[in-house]
Amino acid sequence: MAEVAEVAEVAFDAVLCDVDGVIRFFDGSRVAALERAAGLAEGSTAEVGFAPENDLPLLLGRIGKAQWVDSIARGLAGRVTDAQARALAQAFADSPFRADEAVVGLLRRAREHCRVVLVTNATAWLDEDLALLGLTDLADEVVNSSRVGSAKPDRRIYEIAAERAGAAPERCLFVDDRQENVDAAVALGMTGVRYRGPEDLRRALAAVLDGRGVSG
């Protein structure tokens, strides 16, 4: 895998970027407060909500939000009252979110030079969320797992993203906050960057922002 420090020397034609954990961040304070009030350890609701048996059907578009909330409430049953389980599940599903403006700014600049595609394991209502954030024009394409029926790190979602970008995999820069997702992109021939903060993206985009990383 190309290290972040080396990416600036690699030419590419498209930026394939994750959403959650890179662009979008959730506020879990309301859920944490409800967990404390119910006598649960903080993070218990997220553990249930992100368990593969509850999360994956949502991210593959097989269930909707109401069904996801039901599954979280069921997963909390017996640990808290039914009313508390329902309140926690709903609050978790409705957690507020914000966009990292530094990352948004970098991607907008990158889009002036090359294609930008969002590649995300996300819900069927992602487009509505992007509209709330004012980010419907951030990327040329959005490859959403719940729409294409394939989730990272499955190879197919990367192939779809490269096709949508109109770029060969080896000409794509892939950015994600999860190592297994980066590794899958690299296995397909992409340049991968594990995202930890805006500076990682800034270094990765140095070539494209000054024109050195775009083919003519």
Side-chain angles (χ1 to χ4, degrees):
M1 180 181 71
E3 296 295 335
V4 171
E6 299 173 353
V7 172
E9 302 305 320
V10 179
F12 53 87
D13 300 324
V15 177
L16 312 183
C17 188
D18 186 23
V19 175
D20 293 327
V22 179
I23 298 170
R24 177 171 67 167
F25 294 85
F26 288 87
D27 179 358
S29 58
R30 171 62 177 160
V31 174
L34 289 173
E35 288 172 333
R36 290 193 296 270
L40 281 179
E42 290 187 25
S44 297
T45 309
E47 183 178 353
V48 173
F50 292 140
E53 63 270 22
N54 298 326
D55 190 40
L56 192 57
L58 179 74
L59 298 181
L60 291 176
R62 296 171 183 167
I63 64 173
K65 190 173 190 177
Q67 293 167 296
W68 187 44
V69 169
D70 288 344
S71 70
I72 298 171
R74 286 195 301 271
L76 293 170
R79 302 168 65 182
V80 295
T81 68
D82 289 347
Q84 288 172 322
R86 174 61 55 174
L88 283 162
Q90 194 66 59
F92 183 70
D94 292 336
S95 294
F97 47 82
R98 64 173 180 85
D100 186 316
E101 292 304 323
V103 172
V104 169
L106 287 167
L107 291 175
R108 289 197 186 283
R109 288 177 58 200
R111 196 178 173 207
E112 296 174 1
H113 302 277
C114 69
R115 299 271 289 177
V116 172
V117 177
L118 303 184
V119 188
T120 176
N121 290 352
T123 65
W125 59 91
L126 175 66
D127 288 349
E128 298 168 25
D129 290 352
L130 292 176
L132 288 172
L133 291 169
L135 299 180
T136 55
D137 63 343
L138 180 62
D140 295 285
E141 296 278 351
V142 177
V143 178
N144 179 349
S145 64
S146 64
R147 298 297 188 187
V148 301
S150 174
K152 297 176 293 185
D154 183 74
R155 179 185 179 95
R156 182 55 187 151
I157 194 170
Y158 299 88
E159 293 173 337
I160 292 170
E163 291 167 7
R164 299 270 185 92
E170 60 269 20
R171 300 289 300 181
C172 294
L173 173 71
F174 179 84
V175 182
D176 199 289
D177 66 320
R178 298 180 67 88
Q179 188 63 53
E180 62 266 33
N181 294 341
V182 173
D183 291 344
V186 172
L188 195 60
M190 298 178 181
T191 297
V193 173
R194 169 77 182 278
Y195 179 89
R196 297 177 180 83
E199 189 55 36
D200 292 330
L201 183 61
R202 185 174 291 107
R203 287 199 300 270
L205 291 176
V208 72
L209 295 181
D210 68 14
R212 289 182 291 115
V214 183
S215 64

